[in-house]
Amino acid sequence: MKLKLKIWRQKNAADAGAMVDYDLDDVSPDMSFLEMLDTLNEKLILGGDDPVAFDHDCREGICGSCGVVINGEAHGPEQTTACQLHMRAFSDGEEIVIEPWRAAPFPVIKDLVVNRSAFDRIIGAGGYITAPTGSAPEGNSTRIPKPDADEAFANATCIGCGACVAACPNGSASLFVSAKVTHLNLLPQGQPERTTRVLDMVEQMDAEGFGGCTNTGMCTVSCPKEIPFVSIANLNKEYRRAVKSGRKA
Amino acid sequence: MSEEMKFVGEGEFYSVGEAIADDKAPGGDVETRWERRKFAAKLVNPSNRRKHKVIVVGTGLAGGAAGASLAEQGYHVVQFCFQDSPRRAHSIAAQGGINAAKNYRNDGDSIYRLFYDTVKGGDFRGRESNIYRLAENSVKIIDQCVAQGVPFAREYSGLLDTRSFGGVQVQRTFYARGQTGQQLLIGAYQALSKQIDAGNVEMHARHEMLDLIIIDGRARGIVARNLVTGELSTHLGDAVVLATGGYGNVFFLSTNAKGSNTSAIWRAHRRGAYFGNPCYTQIHPTCIPRSGDHQSKLTLMSESLRNDGRIWVPKQMGDTRPPDQIPEDERDYYLERIYPAFGNLVPRDIASRAAKTVCDEGRGVGPGGQGVYLDFADAIARMGEATVREKYGNLFDMYARITSENPYQQPMRIYPAVHYTMGGLWVDYDLQTTIPGLFAAGEANFSDHGANRLGASALMQGLSDGYFVLPTVLNNYIGSNKFAPVPTDAPEVTEVETLVKDRIEKLLSIQGDRTVDSFHRELGQIMWDYCGMARNDAGLRKAISEIRHLRDEFWKRVKVPGTGAELNQSLEKANRVADFIELGELMCIDALMREESCGGHFREESQTADGEAERQDDKFSFVAAWEYGGQGRFGTVSGDPVLHQEELIFDYVHPAQRSYA
């Protein structure tokens, strides 16, 4: 395959950045999208150019490192991560536009690499269950009905890639936050911190500058782990409940 | 050490030093060793703990769990990971499950049985004391993770579900669909995040450890590079924990994440920490074969597929017909033929070697003849497509996504791939390396799996080390020593800083004509060909010579664009590949020295009449702990490594030959 690539190049956070055109021949349809970028980079390095920086690690769709906007869609045309997208999803001669996640709380570090540490701070604000090491009760002393366990699990599969934010016209992190709140607030172990968790996480999400949710739904369409849209409704429900409880975050 | 044990004399590529021993494990009853060690360990007053700084490198199951637990105890933790977030450590990719001797099924499981299975599974090259402790802690790990909200699979009763794994005869594997590693890691990461938010852990993401600082013989700090700005910084503390994972990426193609590297443990090795059993690599039989030269990494398919899939290749060499046009009598179901008792369910190392053999004969299928069929046609005929879909649907989908082939209509193609390294820094029972104050945990150490790791045991070891072992042994280390503050301009500090800076400048200044990846691929090919599934004397000698040549070429011809003062992914890779080249050589030397077959190490010279691996307990029942020989600064050789042997003693599980025929 031959491809025309338009890639966002930005030397560092202070640089203005611009789209740059590249031609790439000999692309195999069996390559993953990231292997296509590897191939371009080998060519750039040998030609004396700076290779395109992009985040990646496990290349199995689970670590959540990779993520770029491809032809306007977070992770590209299929509902998966960029590392699990293969070039057979494109056609010979196609022009492909590649950009970093676009959202104010995810500032660009270089080229396609953005800073997603806002997500870590949201988790640090309350996205955990306090369980000191070494003093946990016997595992089966906490029974959890299977439907609750399954729903908690479905939400726990979030990989924190940030596609939901990149896909949202408001740059909202609601799907990410709702997945964690739903996972932990459903479980009996999560009850003591249920109220403060949602108040603190939402407060941190707002402080980071993520936009509000207007039920556009693009987040779930682009989510590689298919976190359900209903989780956001659950987040809102948990938040209302917490506010009503009158407890301060 | 007995007379026979001194069998290994001076080798061509190494010399032999004093024997080494683990002096921390208490003797006596194996069942009470850890209890007694914990009781004997020194304690540190809670109010004094905050005065001590512990450096933790890595945030996977071992590092994340250690950082969270040590901070909770009151220590000031300074932690590092090269990823953008501690949540992305490669532990996240583990699929299958985690073992624990809970005996919830009343099927005869016990701590002792898990201990027994692990010693035997490791082909009698692991330590009984460590392995017993691992089995003992397994029970507490599940409790800890449940308390954190890890969503393990449950039954309708609300109780925890388990399954059997890797041919073990009891159901002791706890799991969270095919994402157990992810869920356990997220649990540890969340506990760590709480401590970061509370200010007890100072987290440095996108940082890489480049060297170790030793003062008065003890590990006191590290030099790290900020991968965004390129800035080098020195971090000083009272102890250093390396929880940086395995080094399977020495083979270039492996199931490891692309960033997984050996640099932290290799630099520690260069500063005096012994390296244990470097040649022990686990090769997994059920990976998706590579599709071409562009391939950057391999993807594992769960081993559970072998429960229902039948493995075959054409009988005829070079048979390129599509599988559905090869009649039944022209197919060779070679595992069922050679191992009628176990059939397609033989252990990982046996299945892997058999696949390589038939491919080497020219009977492999798919691109390059590097594949064998894993066929579900019989299973679909027997139980229906719907049942197969229910059991394995997610794996079939993953296969279809990567290969664009429909595994319901044609057999899957699989091939073995490098998966896990049992070797790592040599540690004693306290997880302390030969450098006092330097600890190694999880896959970064060599200790608990012997020559072969059983399925669902890697996660167990990472969390056992992180949640339960390190908090005890670090208390003991800190409580038993006095720590004078280290001045930031101490000569030992500035010397290491200068060396790190020089090395980066050197890499940037070569400006040759080859990319870093081209060297890495070439190294990987040498390692796979000569130090892969089967090794022999001539091949290993050839590999050592080729690797030495490659190292010279690397330091003359590598091209690293850009500068050191920016995000420079080529520079990161160059730094790591230089380490892989040195480690690759040591792996080959270790494999050459070990003239026996055991676990993941198959020496062709040591096999039984029917071609099975033959261990030689009388000569090789020892851990090989390698002391750095001094290869000079930039790819120059100045000395051979020195072999120190730690004799292995089996008081409880007595060595016996494995047989699957």
Side-chain angles (χ1 to χ4, degrees):
Chain A
M1 292 166 75
K2 288 187 183 197
L3 298 172
K4 286 195 176 310
L5 305 171
K6 278 187 176 317
I7 303 179
W8 182 258
R9 301 303 309 264
Q10 183 175 341
K11 276 194 85 60
N12 51 52
D15 184 36
M19 298 300 291
V20 178
D21 293 353
Y22 300 96
D23 287 315
L24 189 61
D25 301 343
D26 295 330
V27 173
S28 155
D30 290 329
M31 283 179 183
S32 71
F33 196 83
L34 302 188
E35 285 166 349
M36 183 276 291
L37 288 177
D38 291 340
T39 309
L40 172 71
N41 279 343
E42 289 288 286
K43 195 177 132 185
L44 292 179
I45 293 167
L46 290 175
D49 292 323
D50 201 21
V52 179
F54 62 95
D55 263 328
H56 66 99
D57 203 16
C58 80
R59 297 198 175 194
E60 289 184 24
I62 192 75
C63 77
S65 296
C66 66
V68 286
V69 174
I70 301 165
N71 291 339
E73 293 180 276
H75 288 302
E78 294 177 3
Q79 196 170 5
T80 186
T81 53
C83 64
Q84 291 297 296
L85 175 67
H86 288 77
M87 296 315 292
R88 62 182 82 96
F90 302 88
S91 45
D92 193 19
E94 191 172 338
E95 180 180 273
I96 305 176
V97 183
I98 310 167
E99 302 161 89
W101 285 164
R102 289 172 295 185
F106 288 168
V108 173
I109 292 172
K110 182 178 180 177
D111 297 339
L112 305 173
V113 178
V114 301
N115 182 347
R116 287 169 289 193
S117 54
F119 272 13
D120 292 317
R121 291 188 291 273
I122 293 174
I123 296 296
Y128 50 79
I129 289 172
T130 301
T133 308
S135 58
E138 156 41 58
N140 257 348
S141 64
T142 311
R143 289 226 220 167
I144 302 172
K146 191 164 167 20
D148 288 359
D150 286 349
E151 195 183 336
F153 183 86
N155 283 277
T157 58
C158 168
I159 56 173
C161 62
C164 49
V165 176
C168 175
N170 308 328
S172 170
S174 288
L175 193 66
F176 169 77
V177 175
S178 72
K180 189 46 56 186
V181 165
T182 306
H183 163 205
L184 298 179
N185 280 19
L186 255 179
L187 299 172
Q189 304 93 307
Q191 295 313 304
E193 290 160 310
R194 180 175 172 187
T195 303
T196 51
R197 173 177 304 118
V198 65
L199 292 174
D200 288 342
M201 288 182 79
V202 169
E203 187 183 55
Q204 188 64 36
M205 170 174 77
D206 291 343
E208 296 288 347
F210 290 102
C213 171
T214 51
N215 289 337
T216 315
M218 285 308 290
C219 52
T220 48
V221 175
S222 69
C223 175
K225 296 298 154 184
E226 300 175 34
I227 302 295
F229 199 36
V230 70
S231 296
I232 294 183
N234 184 59
L235 171 68
N236 293 333
K237 198 177 77 190
E238 288 291 313
Y239 187 72
R240 273 197 309 276
R241 179 193 166 277
V243 170
K244 270 196 201 157
S245 78
R247 204 185 294 176
K248 287 234 160 43
Chain B
M1 189 168 278
S2 60
E3 275 310 303
E4 292 94 333
M5 296 294 299
K6 288 182 190 149
F7 159 80
V8 177
E10 301 292 301
E12 192 180 334
F13 299 102
Y14 61 92
S15 61
V16 177
E18 288 294 302
I20 189 172
D22 171 16
D23 57 1
K24 300 283 176 46
D29 281 355
V30 75
E31 289 90 350
T32 58
R33 282 180 197 168
W34 179 228
E35 271 311 314
R36 283 182 285 128
R37 180 73 194 107
K38 277 194 284 189
F39 188 74
K42 287 234 166 58
L43 300 175
V44 178
N45 178 330
S47 63
N48 282 338
R49 292 181 201 151
R50 77 177 77 94
K51 298 175 194 155
H52 293 280
K53 214 185 241 189
V54 179
I55 294 169
V56 179
V57 187
T59 58
L61 288 180
S69 307
L70 291 168
E72 195 181 275
Q73 283 197 342
Y75 288 108
H76 183 62
V77 176
V78 186
Q79 195 148 5
F80 299 83
C81 70
F82 69 77
Q83 298 91 346
D84 73 322
S85 162
R87 69 171 292 143
R88 306 204 201 282
H90 187 52
S91 304
I92 206 162
Q95 297 169 355
I98 178 166
N99 286 335
K102 283 282 200 184
N103 195 29
Y104 281 166
R105 300 280 170 183
N106 193 26
D107 55 4
D109 200 12
S110 63
I111 289 170
Y112 196 89
R113 189 176 296 277
L114 177 51
F115 156 71
Y116 177 89
D117 288 349
T118 307
V119 174
K120 198 167 155 239
D123 227 351
F124 302 94
R125 293 294 173 264
R127 275 191 201 138
E128 285 192 337
S129 298
N130 288 58
I131 297 170
Y132 194 90
R133 174 174 68 190
L134 179 65
E136 189 180 336
N137 284 342
S138 71
V139 178
K140 286 163 70 181
I141 292 169
I142 300 301
D143 298 341
Q144 177 67 22
C145 296
V146 167
Q148 285 173 343
V150 169
F152 284 117
R154 300 226 167 217
E155 297 178 325
Y156 283 99
S157 59
L159 298 170
L160 291 158
D161 196 10
T162 55
R163 60 183 173 194
S164 66
F165 203 86
V168 171
Q169 288 160 308
V170 292
Q171 273 193 52
R172 65 160 73 104
T173 305
F174 294 76
Y175 65 101
R177 230 175 277 174
Q179 304 170 7
T180 315
Q182 183 198 16
Q183 295 309 325
L184 296 174
L185 181 70
I186 294 296
Y189 154 77
Q190 288 171 183
L192 182 65
S193 296
K194 181 191 171 187
Q195 297 298 333
I196 295 169
D197 192 63
N200 302 330
V201 174
E202 183 187 317
M203 183 68 220
H204 300 271
R206 291 195 194 271
H207 274 69
E208 184 159 60
M209 168 180 160
L210 292 182
D211 217 329
L212 178 73
I213 293 167
I214 299 173
I215 291 171
D216 294 333
R218 292 192 288 176
R220 295 299 301 270
I222 67 166
V223 175
R225 179 169 181 269
N226 178 327
L227 301 180
V228 175
T229 64
E231 192 192 344
L232 297 175
S233 53
T234 299
H235 304 266
L236 299 168
D238 300 326
V240 178
V241 175
L242 303 185
T244 53
Y247 50 85
N249 271 339
V250 71
F251 290 88
F252 188 76
L253 288 181
S254 82
T255 64
N256 287 285
K258 289 289 285 174
S260 298
N261 63 81
T262 189
S263 287
I265 58 171
W266 189 253
R267 307 289 170 93
H269 173 60
R270 289 179 65 119
R271 296 234 163 261
Y274 292 2
F275 207 110
N277 296 335
C279 82
Y280 288 165
T281 305
Q282 181 162 75
I283 292 169
H284 206 290
T286 54
C287 291
I288 300 177
R290 55 188 277 199
S291 63
D293 293 337
H294 58 265
Q295 192 91 29
S296 62
K297 76 153 272 168
L298 297 166
T299 303
L300 183 70
M301 300 277 285
S302 170
E303 216 178 356
S304 62
L305 290 169
R306 288 199 283 142
N307 285 318
D308 286 302
R310 296 182 70 196
I311 293 172
W312 64 276
V313 290
K315 279 187 179 163
Q316 189 116 42
M317 272 171 52
D319 188 340
T320 54
R321 287 176 290 175
D324 60 348
Q325 287 171 30
I326 301 180
E328 201 61 28
D329 62 352
E330 292 180 43
R331 299 177 177 191
D332 180 12
Y333 295 88
Y334 58 90
L335 290 177
E336 298 169 31
R337 173 171 58 82
I338 310 170
Y339 307 99
F342 278 73
N344 295 298
L345 290 173
V346 290
R348 290 177 180 180
D349 54 332
I350 310 261
S352 295
R353 272 198 302 279
K356 180 177 190 291
T357 305
V358 294
C359 292
D360 288 351
E361 287 167 9
R363 298 195 288 143
V365 299
Q370 302 280 293
V372 300
Y373 288 127
L374 175 62
D375 199 338
F376 278 79
D378 282 2
I380 290 170
R382 177 163 41 88
M383 51 187 161
E385 188 175 319
T387 310
V388 171
R389 195 179 290 277
E390 201 177 301
K391 254 177 126 170
Y392 304 111
N394 60 333
L395 296 167
F396 278 44
D397 292 348
M398 182 173 83
Y399 181 84
R401 171 169 287 289
I402 291 174
T403 62
S404 81
E405 292 171 3
N406 181 345
Y408 294 101
Q409 286 166 7
Q410 65 188 92
M412 295 184 190
R413 292 173 294 111
I414 54 164
Y415 197 67
V418 169
H419 183 53
Y420 187 92
T421 44
M422 280 75 68
L425 289 184
W426 185 91
V427 289
D428 61 21
Y429 188 66
D430 280 1
L431 304 184
Q432 186 168 246
T433 68
T434 49
I435 300 173
L438 180 71
F439 296 81
E443 196 180 348
N445 73 30
F446 89 101
S447 65
D448 293 7
H449 306 298
N452 182 41
R453 180 179 62 77
L454 290 182
S457 289
L459 308 182
M460 183 169 68
Q461 192 214 338
L463 289 178
S464 169
D465 288 358
Y467 284 134
F468 301 112
V469 183
L470 283 170
T472 296
V473 298
L474 275 165
N475 263 340
N476 179 66
Y477 175 74
I478 288 171
S480 329
N481 287 287
K482 292 218 181 314
F483 298 91
V486 178
T488 50
D489 59 350
E492 295 93 334
V493 175
T494 49
E495 190 205 327
V496 174
E497 288 170 340
T498 309
L499 278 173
V500 169
K501 221 167 117 221
D502 287 355
R503 178 175 160 124
I504 288 172
E505 280 167 12
K506 171 76 181 169
L507 287 169
L508 290 163
S509 71
I510 299 168
Q511 289 302 322
D513 59 352
R514 285 186 62 177
T515 63
V516 177
D517 273 356
S518 80
F519 283 103
H520 197 174
R521 282 177 193 277
E522 191 176 335
L523 173 69
Q525 195 64 51
I526 298 169
M527 294 301 294
W528 181 249
D529 287 346
Y530 302 116
C531 197
M533 274 184 280
R535 298 110 186 244
N536 62 47
D537 184 278
L540 289 164
R541 284 171 195 279
K542 189 162 183 220
I544 291 166
S545 136
E546 287 186 7
I547 292 170
R548 287 182 174 175
H549 177 70
L550 188 72
R551 188 176 56 206
D552 290 343
E553 289 283 292
F554 177 88
W555 288 99
K556 278 182 213 143
R557 291 179 60 189
V558 75
K559 186 179 177 76
V560 182
T563 71
E566 59 180 334
L567 184 129
N568 187 337
Q569 292 170 328
S570 301
L571 175 62
E572 292 167 28
K573 281 196 270 189
N575 242 325
R576 296 166 184 167
V577 170
D579 295 329
F580 277 136
I581 294 175
E582 293 185 16
L583 169 66
E585 182 180 329
L586 185 66
M587 288 168 75
C588 293
I589 293 172
D590 186 43
L592 183 65
M593 173 280 294
R594 193 167 283 277
E595 293 171 335
E596 66 160 349
S597 296
C598 65
H601 169 67
F602 185 77
R603 268 298 288 267
E604 289 171 357
E605 297 89 342
S606 186
Q607 48 183 309
T608 61
D610 42 3
E612 301 302 340
E614 189 167 34
R615 247 185 16 244
Q616 300 191 23
D617 294 325
D618 52 339
K619 292 180 186 163
F620 291 100
S621 186
F622 63 78
V623 174
W626 293 94
E627 182 184 352
Y628 180 62
Q631 272 129 329
R633 282 177 68 184
F634 304 128
T636 53
V637 181
S638 71
D640 288 335
V642 183
L643 172 66
H644 301 271
Q645 291 157 262
E646 177 201 335
E647 188 177 7
L648 290 167
I649 296 156
F650 296 92
D651 293 327
Y652 293 87
V653 189
H654 298 292
Q657 200 66 33
R658 291 162 75 201
S659 171
Y660 297 94

